[in-house]
Amino acid sequence: MSAPGGPLPRAGCQLAAPAPGVAPRSMEEVPAVRHLWLLLVPFVMILGVSFIPQINGPHLWFGLPSLLVWILAWTLAITPVLVLYERLSQRAGQ
């Protein structure tokens, strides 16, 4: 059975009412969602390496297997990407 305004909350749940005059923000306004594509770049580059024949083969780069160098490079690139994501999210939130 539900109340006229919608379902009743469970016992112990507190529902926060929105502040008067403040509209809920859309997903485009949330900085974390707007710059989320940055986080996908290293992920796609590491997982997509098996489809790039110039890397996924018997090649040596700097005396190491090319696959190892590729994964190490993108693993190291994750930190600057996370820093960039954080700075862009903070700048958009201000």
Side-chain angles (χ1 to χ4, degrees), residues 9-31:
R10 293 183 295 189
C13 278
Q14 302 241 348
L15 297 177
V22 176
R25 293 168 36 154
S26 67
M27 294 306 277
E28 290 81 25
E29 293 175 346
V30 179

